[in-house]
Amino acid sequence: MARGSTRPTSRDVAQAAGVSQAAVSLVLGDKWRGRVSEATAQRVREAARDLGYRPNLAARNLRLGRTRTVLLVVPALTTEFFAGVYTGATRVAAEHGFGVVLYPSPEGIGPAPDPFASAQAALDGVIASSMASDAVTAIRGEALPLVMLDSDPAESLGAATVNLDIADGVRQAAEHLLSLGHRRFLHLAADVPSWTFEIRARELAARLGEVPGTSVRTARSPISIEGAVAAAEAALSEPGPRPTAVICDDDQLAAGTYKAARRLGLRVPDDLSVTGLDDLALATAIDPELTTVRLDAELFGERGMRALLAVLEGREPEGGDIPVRLVVRGSTAPPGLP
C-alpha cells in the first residue's frame, strides 16, 4: 500500500504477513495462542507495526459489548510508587487495546464516591490495592472482574491476587541488621489497617524472635515524614536501652527517622542504623543514602494488568509473588558502643 494513501486495513496486514484476515484478528485481539504459531503472530505484529495499522476499537467494542477500560484504584498518590504501578499497568493495557483510568481514593484509605454514574456499565474490570479496598466496595467494583494488589489471597475480594514478596523483603532487612550485630530494634510501623503492613509486622516479629537476646519495640506513624519524625523521636526517647536499629515500613518513615535522630543528637549509621521499604527516589536523596527493600512498582502494575486480562479471558493468571531485593547503602552499620 502506498504511503500517504487511505488508512491501512486488516486486509492489508494479512496480505503483508501472508496470512488470512482471521489470523490477523486472532493475533491483534490477543486470542492467537493455541490457534496460530508464535512465528506467525510475530509476523502479523511486525506487519501491523510497519503499516501503521490501528484496529477500529470503537467498532470492535460495540460488537463485543465492552468499553475496554479498566479502573486502577489506589490510595492517594503520596509517593511515586503507585505512579509506577500505573505506568506498568498502562503499558500492558495499551498492548491489548485497553485504557486505564487512575482513581486515587480521596482520603488515601477509606470509602470513595463513585467516579462513574454507573461503574459497572462504564468499565470492563478493576485493579485495586488492598489499601483502597473500601473505595472498591463503595464504587461496587467488587461486582466487576477484579484483581487485588497487595492483598491476602485467602480473603481477597478479587478473582485474582497479585503480591510482591513483602515477607521476604522484611526478612532480608532483618537478616542484614542481625548480621551486623544489632539486637535492639525499633519497628516504625505504618499506622494503616492493611494486610501488607500486617505482614511486615508479623514477619519481622517472627524473624527477630528466633534470635536469643533480641528485643523489638513498635511505634506507629501515619505515612508521612512529619508523622514519622514525631513517632520516632518519642520512641527513641523512651526510658531504657535505646534501639540501635530502626526498621521502617516505608521510605518516608525512614526519612522522618533521620530527622528525629538528628534532633536527638544521634548520627546515622554510627549511633542508629535505619532501613526502609520501597526504594523511592527519596532513598538516594537523603544522606547517608538509605538501605531499603526495592519494590518493582512497574512490574507490579504489569502483572496486575496481565492478571486482569487473564480473568477477562477465562485464563488462569500467572502465579507466584514478585521477588523483591534489599539494596544496602550507607544507613546501616554495626552498632556502636552501648
Side-chain angles (χ1 to χ4, degrees), residues 241-324:
R242 191 183 66 243
T244 62
V246 184
I247 297 180
C248 302
D249 274 355
D250 175 271
D251 288 354
Q252 291 186 86
L253 302 187
T257 300
Y258 274 44
K259 295 185 72 171
R262 192 172 299 115
R263 288 183 182 183
L264 296 171
L266 301 173
R267 295 166 300 168
V268 177
D270 305 74
D271 304 309
L272 191 70
S273 285
V274 181
T275 66
L277 199 149
D278 273 342
D279 199 21
L280 306 176
L282 175 66
T284 53
I286 54 180
D287 186 32
E289 294 187 355
L290 180 66
T291 294
T292 187
V293 177
R294 177 172 294 166
L295 309 181
D296 191 332
E298 291 192 18
L299 178 58
F300 198 24
E302 288 179 6
R303 282 277 299 272
M305 188 66 213
R306 292 190 193 283
L308 182 57
L309 290 170
V311 170
L312 290 171
E313 295 173 3
R315 295 184 286 108
E316 187 69 24
E318 179 181 352
D321 292 346
I322 298 171
V324 303

Side-chain angles (χ1 to χ4, degrees), residues 76-99:
L77 298 176
T78 52
T79 73
E80 75 261 26
F81 179 79
F82 285 106
V85 172
Y86 173 75
T87 298
T90 55
R91 181 183 300 126
V92 172
E95 293 172 0
H96 295 82
F98 277 77

Side-chain angles (χ1 to χ4, degrees), residues 17-20 23-24 27 32 35-47:
V19 299
S20 67
V24 170
V27 172
W32 60 272
R35 301 185 186 185
V36 301
S37 69
E38 174 68 49
T40 298
Q42 183 62 27
R43 199 161 68 246
V44 169
R45 286 191 291 264
E46 289 174 355

Side-chain angles (χ1 to χ4, degrees), residues 24 30 38 67 70 75 89 103 111 117 131 167 171 173 180 182 191 203 213 226 242 278 293-294 336:
V24 170
D30 202 32
E38 174 68 49
T67 64
V70 171
Y103 186 64
M131 292 173 65
R171 286 192 293 268
L180 291 173
H182 291 278
D191 191 13
E203 290 299 323
E226 296 78 11
R242 191 183 66 243
D278 273 342
V293 177
R294 177 172 294 166

Side-chain angles (χ1 to χ4, degrees), residues 73-299:
V73 186
V74 299
L77 298 176
T78 52
T79 73
E80 75 261 26
F81 179 79
F82 285 106
V85 172
Y86 173 75
T87 298
T90 55
R91 181 183 300 126
V92 172
E95 293 172 0
H96 295 82
F98 277 77
V100 179
V101 176
L102 180 63
Y103 186 64
S105 176
E107 301 302 322
I109 299 164
D114 191 337
F116 297 92
S118 174
Q120 293 179 45
L123 300 168
D124 286 334
V126 178
I127 305 171
S129 160
S130 65
M131 292 173 65
S133 57
D134 287 345
V136 174
T137 303
I139 65 172
R140 304 185 306 282
E142 79 280 6
L144 289 159
L146 171 66
V147 169
M148 294 297 296
L149 308 178
D150 243 0
S151 299
D152 184 351
E155 298 182 6
S156 174
L157 295 170
T161 306
V162 176
N163 284 323
L164 295 153
D165 198 347
I166 295 293
D168 185 56
V170 171
R171 286 192 293 268
Q172 289 180 48
E175 291 286 356
H176 171 64
L177 292 168
L178 287 167
S179 71
L180 291 173
H182 291 278
R183 293 298 180 268
R184 297 196 305 273
F185 294 87
L186 170 64
H187 177 206
L188 191 58
D191 191 13
V192 176
S194 173
W195 175 84
T196 185
F197 294 117
E198 293 170 4
I199 285 292
R200 297 169 208 213
R202 188 174 71 201
E203 290 299 323
L204 181 61
R207 180 63 192 97
L208 297 182
E210 295 171 356
V211 181
T214 297
S215 64
V216 58
R217 301 179 194 170
T218 299
R220 298 193 176 278
S221 169
I223 303 180
S224 71
I225 293 175
E226 296 78 11
V229 172
E233 187 172 1
L236 293 170
S237 301
E238 289 180 1
R242 191 183 66 243
T244 62
V246 184
I247 297 180
C248 302
D249 274 355
D250 175 271
D251 288 354
Q252 291 186 86
L253 302 187
T257 300
Y258 274 44
K259 295 185 72 171
R262 192 172 299 115
R263 288 183 182 183
L264 296 171
L266 301 173
R267 295 166 300 168
V268 177
D270 305 74
D271 304 309
L272 191 70
S273 285
V274 181
T275 66
L277 199 149
D278 273 342
D279 199 21
L280 306 176
L282 175 66
T284 53
I286 54 180
D287 186 32
E289 294 187 355
L290 180 66
T291 294
T292 187
V293 177
R294 177 172 294 166
L295 309 181
D296 191 332
E298 291 192 18
L299 178 58

